Amino acid sequence: MTQSLTARRVTAGAFDREAVAALSSLHGEPGWLAERRLAAWELADRLPFPSTYERAWKYFDPARLNVEGLRAPAPTAPSTPAPIDAASAGWMHVLNDQAVSTHLSPVVAEQGVVFGTLARAAQESPALMQRWLGAVITPDEGIFPALNSALWREGVFLYVPKDIKVEHPLHVLLTAEGDGIGLLPRVLVVLDRGAEASLVVEQRGGEAGVFVASVAELVLADEARLRYHTIQEWGTGVQEVYHQRAELGRNARVTQVTAALGGSVYKGWVEASIRGAGATSEIFGVAYGTGRQYFDVITTQDHIGDHTVSDLLVKAALKDRAQSSYYGLTRVGLGARMADANQEDRNLLLSDRAKANADPVLEILTSEVARCAHGASAGPVDPEQLFYLECRGLPRPQAEQLLVEGFLGEVTGRITDPSVREIVGAAVLRKLGIEREAGAG
Amino acid sequence: MTNASPTLEVRDLHVEVAGKPILNGVDLIVNKGEIHALMGPNGSGKSTLANTLMGHPKYTVTAGDIRFEGESVLEWTADQRARAGMFLSFQYPTAIPGVTMVNFLRHALNAREGRDLPVREFRTRLMDTMKQLKMDQQFARRYVNEGFSGGEKKRAEILQLQLFKPSIAILDETDSGLDVDALRVVAEGVNQVAAQEPKPGILLITHYYRILNLIQPDVAHVLVRGRIVKTGGRELAMEVENHGYERIMAELGLTAGEGDTAEALHAAAT
Ligand SMILES: Nc1ncnc2c1ncn2[C@@H]1O[C@H](COP(=O)(O)OP(=O)(O)OP(=O)(O)O)[C@@H](O)[C@H]1O
Ligand SMILES: [Mg+2]
């Protein structure tokens, strides 16, 4: 099986060239967008399918991805989503890549905040779309970003104008229904100068055979602040490859939080181009793997501007035969004086057959660095901690659960939006199988 | 529960750590309502005894038996012993980052009492007990033993002792590292537990006589090289305080030097 042969696998059937044109005409898209889609499709068709020879795919054979014979999801009817927290500025429910309901608090809308589908933004915010869509993550970065750029359907768009601070988090619920379908979720967030927002993307549902290739582009102008959270609770057997990157202006600050809980394969890139002087990037991740789940994250903290700061904490607890891989790159460019960078990857192995690969990497091109720290570890539960809990009456499985909760809680504790911290914490507890009475913790 | 059986009965207990014998035949009986003081030089095996009583997996019992309320617990896991009513206040309590005290205590208390305590009841009990121990309420939000000062750790152990109401409490140097006021608070806590019906047995491991002014022991033991070499009343603790262990050892024909085997000590002590 040659690479060029495998390359065609993702662009066949439901994702062929005709599908691109059909999508553009269905949405009545402007010419520039239709052209970009086609150009991206050409790339997806031409780019080699990845192989384990590439560093990014060292620990997972991409041949195991179910990309063959995928169907496009059938059209769905609008519906009412499960109610989301009242302390929300807005919510959107996207089922199988189609927005079934959208709501934005009128107060927030009046401030000029735009929250809706990318499809609609292409009509109503063409300048922003043309400037930023595909500018942070370009289709030539790989076969999956290319495929997504060619065939995303409705997508999610958030724009916050200059100096507007959206007080409460915005919620996006992405759900999948059915098997054997390919989903291409796409998010574009643009925060203008001094703007602030918090976005929560929850992913649920789906079953074996669902393949997801998602892209999230986060644009922060000078002084902007964004907290972007993904809670991945896909159904058993769902595979996802994701690309997420933030682009930071002067003194901007982004926090990217990922909770990896569901699905069978969840592999992605979480990156920050820390371009503006004084900008800060935070990347926090928790993963709890059971069965044969595989979680793989590649991070880049790219210090480009002066006095930039990055902090990263990724923790995975792995049970049964679950596996995690972490490849974290801190790059400090020649022009980035006095960078302060930290990355820490910790893995808790709860069974002999669980496995963690951890590779923190530093690439420092300047001699003027304020701090550049990195650490990685993988090991079993501390027997003294276990004994302490057992001595207080907790049977081993329960003691272990509490230790996992605590281990991951150190990361979720860093989420600053209280309601989001609660949602992520609850998702972790759901996976741990603990239902907590409200107000007990 | 058989009332006739001692709360804790240790018979000819031999214990090894990593293949090295540490306890060489310990005999000890603690009855309901009794307070026993256990003293002994550093490294004599006091903590080894305490950990073994609770079933620490590192300590291997090679001979002898541990009975709790008449039943051998050697085959019981640590959590079974704890739920049955055995409690150890650790000499060096383990820090558990990420797990808050309140979350931990709720799980632990539910396990000990075998029911899901209503949130209200739990909170009231926790807050009341913390108040008695003059602990800041913020304490409950902190991670278990993480960054606690020496004295705070010991107070947190006593907090657990009071919440769990065990039948046998093994307190391993709970008085060490406490300032005068904290010592008084901790002693009050122990005395309160000691006075509660049904009265527990207490094994108080200590190096200092001053705690024994605050918690009056009925019996005192001296452990040397893995064996209880002398048992007496409170005056034995006083003797240790005034003259150290050397005098007791000399009395028993033991020298403090290297080279005496456990067997020699055993022969001398019996
Ligand atoms: N886990 C262990 N691994 C190796 N050696 C151990 C271990 N636990 C205890 N020991 C050894 O067993 C002996 C007794 O130790 P133990 O902690 O029981 O003494 P102790 O009487 O409590 O002393 P202290 O008064 O200093 O607390 C010591 O020589 C100690 O080094
Ligand atoms: Mg000790």
Side-chain angles (χ1 to χ4, degrees):
Chain A
M1 188 160 44
T2 68
Q3 286 205 333
S4 60
L5 253 181
T6 40
R8 287 200 194 98
R9 297 194 308 186
V10 299
T11 42
F15 300 125
D16 65 6
R17 200 169 201 285
E18 285 64 51
V20 181
L23 198 56
S24 288
S25 77
L26 176 72
H27 290 161
E29 284 177 349
W32 66 266
L33 184 51
E35 277 161 35
R36 283 196 198 178
R37 282 188 186 275
L38 279 173
W41 187 88
E42 298 292 343
L43 276 167
D45 195 44
R46 211 171 57 232
L47 284 170
F49 198 77
S51 80
T52 47
Y53 294 111
E54 292 164 55
R55 175 58 192 83
W57 295 89
K58 183 175 166 187
Y59 296 113
F60 181 82
D61 186 351
R64 285 172 53 197
L65 296 172
N66 304 318
V67 294
E68 254 160 316
L70 291 172
R71 288 176 285 110
T76 51
S79 76
T80 335
I84 300 175
D85 202 86
S88 172
W91 45 255
M92 205 169 151
H93 180 198
V94 181
L95 167 60
N96 287 349
D97 279 351
Q98 294 153 85
V100 287
S101 61
T102 307
H103 171 81
L104 180 63
S105 129
V107 184
V108 177
E110 263 167 40
Q111 294 176 308
V113 172
V114 181
F115 181 54
T117 64
L118 285 172
R120 190 162 158 191
Q123 313 288 346
E124 296 175 5
S125 313
L128 281 170
M129 282 286 285
Q130 207 165 345
R131 169 72 188 86
W132 291 113
L133 187 75
V136 181
I137 295 172
T138 53
D140 58 3
E141 289 189 23
I143 195 163
F144 300 110
L147 183 69
N148 181 291
S149 302
L151 281 152
W152 58 268
R153 288 170 80 94
E154 296 193 342
V156 175
F157 178 67
L158 170 65
Y159 169 72
V160 182
K162 189 164 174 293
D163 293 329
I164 297 299
K165 293 177 173 35
V166 184
E167 195 188 337
H168 295 296
L170 294 141
H171 292 261
V172 176
L173 179 62
L174 298 184
T175 53
E177 261 176 30
D179 61 3
I181 52 171
L183 297 178
L184 304 168
R186 190 171 185 109
V187 177
L188 172 62
V189 176
V190 180
L191 299 191
D192 217 327
R193 194 191 164 88
E196 182 171 344
S198 174
L199 189 65
V200 185
V201 179
E202 295 181 65
Q203 305 176 313
R204 291 196 213 132
E207 46 198 275
V210 172
F211 178 77
V212 185
S214 62
V215 167
E217 299 179 285
L218 315 174
V219 181
L220 288 84
D222 296 350
E223 317 282 341
R225 279 164 180 259
L226 174 67
R227 299 178 295 282
Y228 186 86
H229 318 82
T230 308
I231 307 170
Q232 190 273 97
E233 290 185 279
W234 290 129
T236 315
V238 175
Q239 301 182 333
E240 177 173 353
V241 176
Y242 62 101
H243 285 74
Q244 177 179 321
R245 188 178 300 143
E247 178 83 39
L248 304 178
R250 285 179 73 90
N251 295 323
R253 182 187 187 97
V254 71
T255 306
Q256 301 181 75
V257 179
T258 309
L261 301 166
S264 63
V265 174
Y266 187 55
K267 175 182 176 62
W269 282 254
V270 178
E271 302 178 306
S273 298
I274 319 169
R275 201 172 294 281
T280 299
S281 152
E282 290 179 321
I283 294 174
F284 300 136
V286 293
Y288 180 40
T290 56
R292 286 170 178 258
Q293 283 184 305
Y294 178 76
F295 299 133
D296 181 327
V297 67
I298 296 181
T299 61
T300 306
Q301 297 147 282
D302 195 2
H303 291 257
I304 302 165
D306 269 351
H307 288 89
T308 43
V309 179
S310 71
D311 190 16
L312 176 150
L313 179 61
V314 172
K315 283 188 163 194
L318 304 164
K319 227 174 132 163
D320 309 327
R321 302 178 76 160
Q323 278 197 45
S324 77
S325 297
Y326 167 80
Y327 180 75
L329 173 66
T330 301
R331 191 188 294 131
V332 181
L334 259 177
R337 287 171 310 150
M338 302 313 285
D340 180 337
N342 184 45
Q343 57 163 314
E344 210 181 313
D345 175 63
R346 306 282 170 215
N347 296 281
L348 192 58
L349 303 176
L350 300 165
S351 95
D352 294 340
R353 295 198 289 181
K355 200 169 167 231
N357 307 296
D359 276 328
V361 176
L362 301 178
E363 197 179 296
I364 301 172
L365 304 174
T366 171
S367 55
E368 286 176 274
V369 172
R371 175 177 71 136
C372 206
H374 71 298
S377 65
V381 170
D382 179 346
E384 295 304 325
Q385 292 182 346
L386 209 52
F387 182 64
Y388 190 82
L389 295 179
E390 287 173 343
C391 273
R392 297 306 180 241
L394 300 186
R396 176 150 308 192
Q398 210 188 327
E400 233 177 50
Q401 262 182 359
L402 193 59
L403 290 178
V404 172
E405 188 188 333
F407 175 76
L408 300 178
E410 274 194 297
V411 184
T412 53
R414 297 206 189 179
I415 297 171
T416 49
D417 297 287
S419 66
V420 182
R421 189 167 57 233
E422 213 157 280
I423 293 172
V424 178
V428 171
L429 289 180
R430 258 199 303 282
K431 173 94 190 218
L432 278 166
I434 303 168
E435 293 295 343
R436 177 77 43 89
E437 266 179 81
Chain B
M1 198 199 300
T2 18
N3 271 338
S5 309
T7 303
L8 178 69
E9 183 177 2
V10 179
R11 281 274 169 243
D12 191 34
L13 189 67
H14 288 67
V15 173
E16 281 184 12
V17 181
K20 181 177 141 201
I22 308 289
L23 298 185
N24 306 295
V26 173
D27 290 288
L28 182 70
I29 289 177
V30 180
N31 290 303
K32 180 174 180 292
E34 287 178 358
I35 300 179
H36 289 233
L38 179 68
M39 306 182 85
N42 293 130
S44 56
K46 302 181 297 296
S47 295
T48 299
L49 175 63
N51 280 301
T52 306
L53 291 177
M54 286 311 291
H56 194 299
K58 257 200 219 157
Y59 300 84
T60 313
V61 175
T62 53
D65 198 7
I66 301 167
R67 292 178 165 269
F68 170 68
E69 293 176 343
E71 271 192 82
S72 173
V73 299
L74 286 184
E75 300 300 319
W76 296 14
T77 56
D79 55 292
Q80 284 176 307
R81 299 182 202 203
R83 287 197 302 277
M86 298 178 72
F87 181 88
L88 168 62
S89 164
F90 285 81
Q91 183 176 4
Y92 304 110
T94 311
I96 309 179
V99 178
T100 58
M101 284 295 283
V102 61
N103 194 13
F104 156 65
L105 289 172
R106 201 166 122 77
H107 278 92
L109 211 53
N110 284 346
R112 166 78 174 115
E113 305 206 350
R115 64 187 179 123
D116 270 346
L117 269 81
V119 178
R120 261 267 182 77
E121 182 190 336
F122 167 71
R123 286 208 169 259
T124 315
R125 268 171 71 179
L126 177 61
M127 291 307 151
D128 288 354
T129 315
M130 283 179 57
K131 212 175 284 168
Q132 274 177 35
L133 288 166
K134 302 192 166 59
M135 293 172 81
D136 192 319
Q137 304 244 328
Q138 279 309 307
F139 227 76
R141 299 246 148 252
R142 289 179 63 180
Y143 294 151
V144 177
N145 296 318
E146 167 84 344
F148 287 17
S149 75
E152 285 168 345
K153 282 185 187 164
K154 297 302 166 85
R155 251 184 241 232
E157 293 292 290
I158 295 302
L159 171 68
Q160 295 170 52
L161 169 71
Q162 291 203 314
L163 289 171
F164 295 161
K165 303 186 178 25
S167 305
I168 179 79
I170 303 142
L171 310 178
D172 192 358
E173 297 201 26
T174 303
D175 56 330
S176 292
L178 295 178
D179 65 43
V180 194
D181 296 334
L183 187 69
R184 189 155 290 127
V185 171
V186 163
E188 267 169 30
V190 174
N191 283 329
Q192 202 181 344
V193 169
Q196 267 166 10
E197 285 296 345
K199 286 202 168 73
I202 292 177
L203 181 63
L204 187 75
I205 298 171
T206 184
H207 285 296
Y208 304 108
Y209 187 76
R210 52 175 196 169
I211 185 82
L212 303 179
N213 281 326
L214 300 168
I215 304 170
Q216 311 263 333
D218 303 294
V219 187
H221 310 272
V222 173
L223 185 80
V224 178
R225 286 172 214 159
R227 173 171 302 283
I228 289 177
V229 295
K230 197 164 181 182
T231 294
R234 209 154 76 87
E235 70 291 340
L236 177 59
M238 187 57 142
E239 188 188 336
V240 169
E241 174 79 5
N242 291 338
H243 306 289
Y245 294 107
E246 273 184 36
R247 178 153 139 181
I248 293 170
M249 289 169 76
E251 234 173 64
L252 295 166
L254 299 170
T255 46
E258 296 282 316
D260 0 338
T261 61
E263 285 70 30
L265 285 169
H266 180 49
T270 44

